[in-house]
């Protein structure tokens, strides 16, 4: 089981490979660092031949998901995952209930009870499977739709 969600999808090109790569190059601002910054282009990142590693250029939520992929002659694949910086921040956020329980037991603010461990595990699971999953699902869907609009392809059902 992964701590953070990922999504991998295959697509079929509607045009040819050269046209698609050209369109992606035209709509991507070159950036070694995958950071949000205002731009007129749809994506920021690296397009290297048929491989790409990009983020959406939407300020605020575009850098949350990193899309890496490869464009073959008539199809392609894209993998979406959470950006490393956000993984670190979300990891700290996800483990805050552990720090809280340790601080509470250490300061003796409340007598230790085994139910506190159940509550802590529940909080971690809610943060992971509700908050992080929901944010990833919504933002990755938006990023993939933007990629589909730019590259002009159709999804292949898994």
């Amino acid at each position: 089981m992964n701590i953070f969600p990922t999504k991998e999808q295959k697509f079929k090109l509607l045009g040819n490979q050269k046209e698609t790569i050209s369109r992606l190059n035209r709509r991507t601002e070159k950036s070694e660092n995958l950071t949000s910054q205002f731009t007129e282009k749809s994506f920021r990142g690296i397009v290297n031949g048929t491989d790409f590693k990009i983020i959406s250029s939407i300020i605020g939520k575009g850098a949350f998901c990193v899309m890496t992929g490869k464009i073959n002659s008539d199809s392609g694949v894209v993998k979406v995952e959470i950006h490393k910086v956000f993984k670190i921040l979300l990891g700290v956020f996800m483990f805050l209930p552990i720090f809280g329980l340790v601080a509470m037991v250490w300061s003796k603010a409340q007598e230790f009870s085994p139910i506190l461990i159940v509550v802590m595990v529940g909080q971690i699971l809610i943060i992971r499977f509700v908050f992080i999953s929901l944010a990833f699902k919504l933002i990755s869907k938006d990023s993939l739709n933007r990629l589909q609009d730019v590259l002009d392809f159709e999804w292949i059902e898994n």
Side-chain angles (χ1 to χ4, degrees):
M1 183 182 98
N2 291 333
I3 294 178
F4 297 103
T6 61
K7 184 188 290 188
E8 188 167 324
Q9 287 198 251
K10 295 178 181 177
F11 56 87
K12 179 183 172 201
L13 298 177
L14 297 177
N16 62 31
Q17 181 186 29
K18 280 187 178 183
E19 205 176 275
T20 303
I21 293 171
S22 171
R23 199 174 311 129
L24 183 60
N25 274 320
R26 209 172 41 249
R27 299 297 300 156
T28 302
E29 181 179 304
K30 306 296 182 247
S31 172
E32 292 290 327
N33 303 329
L34 299 176
T35 57
S36 283
Q37 193 173 38
F38 180 75
T39 179
E40 296 295 321
K41 300 197 177 194
S42 299
F43 302 106
R44 288 185 46 111
I46 303 165
V47 179
N48 187 11
T50 60
D51 298 328
F52 61 89
K53 185 172 185 176
I54 56 176
I55 62 170
S56 178
S57 64
I58 299 172
I59 299 293
K61 63 181 182 177
F64 187 77
C65 293
V66 176
M67 296 179 285
T68 56
K70 183 169 182 69
I71 301 171
N72 300 320
S73 59
D74 62 342
S75 65
V77 64
V78 62
K79 181 179 180 182
V80 184
E81 56 189 354
I82 297 176
H83 197 290
K84 286 181 185 178
V85 173
F86 286 100
K87 283 183 181 179
I88 293 168
L89 291 172
L90 291 171
V92 170
F93 179 64
M94 197 164 50
F95 291 108
L96 278 177
I98 295 172
F99 301 136
L101 180 67
V102 169
M104 189 172 68
V105 169
W106 188 55
S107 69
K108 298 183 181 174
Q110 183 178 348
E111 187 176 312
F112 180 76
S113 172
I115 195 75
L116 293 175
I117 294 175
V118 174
V119 170
M120 176 195 64
V121 170
Q123 288 173 337
I124 292 171
L125 291 175
I126 288 172
I127 291 169
R128 165 53 179 95
F129 290 106
V130 175
F131 297 127
I132 294 175
S133 291
L134 184 64
F136 178 76
K137 184 177 181 178
L138 295 173
I139 295 172
S140 68
K141 183 179 179 182
D142 186 44
S143 295
L144 288 172
N145 285 340
R146 183 175 261 227
L147 183 67
Q148 184 179 17
D149 288 344
V150 169
L151 296 187
D152 196 28
F153 60 77
E154 60 186 30
W155 297 114
I156 297 173
E157 298 296 322
N158 292 333

